[in-house]
Amino acid sequence: MKFWNNWGMIMSDQKLIKTQLKHTVKVEKTPFYNMGVTVSPQGTQEALIPAIVEGNQPEIFGKTADLGNWKYPRKLDNVRMVKTEDGTDLPIIHSVPCTGEVAQLDWVTFALGVETFSPKYLALGLDDADAYDDIADDLDQDLFEIFGFGIAKKRDKGMHFYKYSWELQDNLGIVLMGHSSKRIAVQLNGKGCALAAKGWHERLYKYLTGYAQRTKLTRVDLAHDDLQGKHLNVDWANMQDGLGGFWCGGTMPNIGHLGNWKRITGKGRTLTIGTRESGKYCRIYEKGKKEGAKDDPWTRAEVEFKGHDRFIPFDILLSPSQYFIGAYPCFSDFHQYATPEKIATVKKTAEITQKRAKEIIKHQFGKYFALFRKVYSDSEIMQFVTANDPDAVPKRLQIIDHLAISMERNKQFEQAYGYTRLSQAVQRSQFNAVYS
C-alpha cells in the first residue's frame, strides 16, 4: 500500500515523532514591519491597526488617510518569525481562515537533500555525473507516483547555479542537481500544476514532510481566476492600490502598469504589485485577452512567494486559499468567490487558443485556400499543406495536446494506483533508517 495511505504500516510511532520533530521550527512573535507579512487573527480589529505617528499618515489620492475609517487593518502587531537551519530569522507568510477554494497552486518549487536516496550521496562532488544520473532514476519513480509524470530527458547544461538539469515530461517542469548545498530542486510550472494527477498536492505534502530529507519550499505561486470578470478586473485592482488595499505596512509597494491603459487595444493590461526580486510579488492581468481573445473578460490574480526572505510553510500545499487571501488586505474580498478548478482554466485556455489559431489561418492564408479550392480537391490541399511529421503540434496549440494526454494519464493513474509503486522508496527509507 502507498506510504501516504498506510502511514502506520510504513513508519513506527517513534520514527513518525522523529519526523515531526525534524520539521518543527522555533516560532517567535516579533515585530517585523518592513516585510509586510501579517499573521495572528487573534485579538480585536482595533488592536491590529498599527499606531501611526501624527504627521506620517499615508496619503490616498493626495489626501491624508483617516486610519479610523480604513476598511483593511494592517495586522502588524504580531508577526511570526521562524529560525532556519542556518540561524536566519525569517517571517512566516500570513494566512487567514478560509472555507472555500479561493485559490489554486500555479507553480511549486521544492528542494530536498540528496541523502533522501542514500546517505552516501552526501559525499558527492559536483563532477560525479553518473551518481547524479542514478539519483535522477530514483527521483523519477517518486515524481511519477506523486504527479503522474516523471523525468523525460537530461538537458545539456544546468541552470540557477546547479550543474545538471532534467526536463519533466511534456515540459511540465524541471529538475536541478549538482549544487554546493547537496540539495535537489524540483520546479513544477503552471501547466504541471494543472495537468498533474488528481490529489498530487496531498501526496507531495506527505512526501516532503514524512519521507524526504532537508526539505523546503523555495517558490509557490497561487492563482485566483474570474472567468467572467465580475468580481476581479484590473481596474478594480488599480482602484484598490489607491485605497491602500495592497499596503501591508512599511513602505508602499511598487506598482507597475503594463499594456496600454490609456487607449485600450484589446491586447490585455497587467497591474503588478511589488518587484520580481522581492519575496512576494503579485500580477493581476487580463488572462483572456493575453491568450488572444480581445473581448474575453477572464481576469487572473497571481501571487508569487519566494523563500529567500520569508518562510513558506508546507501547509500552503493543502490550504492555498488561506495564504492567498492573507497576501494582501484587499484580497479578503475574495473569500466568497470560489476559483475554477485548474482543469477548467486549462480547457478555457485551449478553447481560446484553438479559436485564435483558426482566426490566424483564415486571416493570413484564407485567400490562398480560396484560390486553391478552385484548382485542387480538399484532400489534395490538405496533403501539400500538412507538415511532414504527422505528430507535430504548433507551440501555441500544445496546451490542447497536453490536456488530452493529461486526461488519459489521470484515468490510467487512478486505475493503476490501487496498489503502491513506492515500494522502492519504502525500501530506501528502511535502508536509510538502518545504515544512516
Side-chain angles (χ1 to χ4, degrees):
M1 298 296 291
K2 283 184 172 295
F3 75 90
W4 47 74
N5 290 333
N6 294 273
W7 201 248
M9 295 177 63
I10 296 171
M11 286 188 172
S12 65
D13 291 341
Q14 182 178 359
K15 186 171 182 182
L16 179 57
I17 294 172
K18 180 180 177 181
T19 302
Q20 291 173 335
L21 289 175
K22 180 187 70 175
H23 294 282
T24 300
V25 293
K26 180 180 179 182
V27 176
E28 301 174 354
K29 291 186 176 181
T30 310
F32 205 81
Y33 296 98
N34 292 330
M35 296 306 301
V37 292
T38 58
V39 80
S40 183
Q42 300 175 355
T44 63
Q45 177 169 309
E46 290 74 20
L48 295 173
I49 299 177
I52 303 294
V53 179
E54 185 176 357
N56 291 329
Q57 290 92 339
E59 291 188 350
I60 302 177
F61 301 124
K63 298 181 180 180
T64 301
D66 178 5
L67 291 185
N69 294 325
W70 273 51
K71 181 179 179 181
Y72 308 117
R74 302 303 101 188
K75 301 180 181 176
L76 285 174
D77 284 3
N78 294 302
V79 173
R80 296 171 61 204
M81 304 291 291
V82 60
K83 190 176 292 294
T84 62
E85 60 186 28
D86 62 358
T88 304
D89 290 323
L90 293 179
I92 303 175
I93 62 174
H94 177 50
S95 67
V96 297
C98 175
T99 56
E101 292 293 331
V102 174
Q104 302 280 352
L105 295 163
D106 195 53
W107 183 292
V108 175
T109 301
F110 61 91
L112 63 157
V114 294
E115 66 272 21
T116 298
F117 303 97
S118 175
K120 68 180 182 180
Y121 291 131
L122 285 171
L124 281 180
L126 295 181
D127 295 326
D128 295 327
D130 291 341
Y132 285 109
D133 288 338
D134 292 339
I135 295 176
D137 289 339
D138 289 338
L139 179 62
D140 173 55
Q141 174 76 16
D142 292 357
L143 296 179
F144 184 85
E145 291 154 11
I146 294 170
F147 302 117
F149 51 81
I151 295 174
K153 64 179 180 178
K154 190 173 184 178
R155 304 171 77 243
D156 294 334
K157 58 182 179 180
M159 58 190 299
H160 302 321
F161 305 106
Y162 288 83
K163 189 168 184 178
Y164 310 102
S165 64
W166 289 259
E167 289 182 7
L168 297 184
Q169 291 175 327
D170 303 324
N171 293 314
L172 300 180
I174 60 174
V175 173
L176 304 173
M177 296 189 209
H179 192 273
S180 58
S181 66
K182 304 294 177 67
R183 271 192 166 114
I184 303 164
V186 180
Q187 297 182 3
L188 190 68
N189 60 31
K191 288 192 298 184
C193 291
L195 301 180
K198 186 176 181 179
W200 67 267
H201 55 289
E202 297 175 354
R203 292 190 292 272
L204 178 60
Y205 173 85
K206 292 178 180 179
Y207 180 78
L208 294 178
T209 60
Y211 167 68
Q213 305 295 308
R214 282 198 300 132
T215 55
K216 64 183 295 188
L217 293 171
T218 58
R219 175 181 167 182
V220 175
D221 292 8
L222 307 178
H224 173 85
D225 291 280
D226 182 2
L227 299 181
Q228 286 75 41
K230 292 182 178 180
H231 63 268
L232 172 65
N233 58 66
V234 292
D235 294 309
W236 171 88
N238 193 46
M239 178 189 69
Q240 288 301 325
D241 173 55
L243 296 174
F246 295 107
W247 181 57
C248 299
T251 305
M252 293 288 284
N254 183 64
I255 299 295
H257 295 81
L258 307 180
N260 198 329
W261 285 69
K262 189 172 183 178
R263 296 177 180 87
I264 299 174
T265 61
K267 293 183 177 180
R269 297 171 292 164
T270 301
L271 183 77
T272 63
I273 300 97
T275 62
R276 291 301 305 269
E277 295 75 24
S278 63
K280 184 173 68 172
Y281 177 69
C282 181
R283 295 174 292 267
I284 300 175
Y285 62 100
E286 295 173 317
K287 176 72 170 176
K289 295 179 175 62
K290 174 180 174 293
E291 296 297 336
K294 293 185 177 181
D295 298 322
D296 196 288
W298 179 12
T299 306
R300 167 175 286 189
E302 296 175 352
V303 181
E304 176 183 313
F305 294 108
K306 292 195 183 83
H308 62 79
D309 66 354
R310 63 200 67 207
F311 179 77
I312 306 176
F314 292 111
D315 283 348
I316 198 172
L317 298 173
L318 303 179
S319 305
S321 298
Q322 297 185 13
Y323 292 91
F324 179 84
I325 291 181
Y328 298 98
C330 65
F331 279 9
S332 62
D333 290 351
F334 295 151
H335 70 89
Q336 58 185 315
Y337 301 110
T339 193
E341 297 236 354
K342 288 295 293 182
I343 198 68
T345 61
V346 173
K347 289 180 179 178
K348 174 80 170 178
T349 302
E351 291 172 2
I352 294 175
T353 303
Q354 186 180 39
K355 181 180 179 182
R356 179 57 180 159
K358 293 177 181 178
E359 292 173 351
I360 292 174
I361 292 173
K362 185 172 183 178
H363 176 72
Q364 295 186 356
F365 306 106
K367 293 180 180 179
Y368 288 95
F369 284 109
L371 176 61
F372 288 160
R373 294 190 75 180
K374 297 178 181 178
V375 182
Y376 305 101
S377 66
D378 288 352
S379 60
E380 289 177 313
I381 294 174
M382 291 303 298
Q383 192 170 24
F384 62 72
V385 301
T386 302
N388 294 329
D389 181 2
D391 296 322
V393 179
K395 185 175 181 180
R396 185 181 185 90
L397 298 178
Q398 285 179 354
I399 185 66
I400 300 175
D401 193 44
H402 291 164
L403 177 60
I405 293 173
S406 174
M407 295 176 69
E408 181 61 27
R409 178 189 294 131
N410 272 326
K411 186 186 302 182
Q412 295 177 358
F413 190 89
E414 292 175 1
Q415 291 174 352
Y417 278 71
Y419 63 93
T420 181
R421 285 189 59 188
L422 264 182
S423 56
Q424 293 181 10
V426 174
Q427 291 171 10
R428 288 198 302 271
S429 176
Q430 295 171 346
F431 175 88
N432 293 344
V434 174
Y435 293 101
S436 61

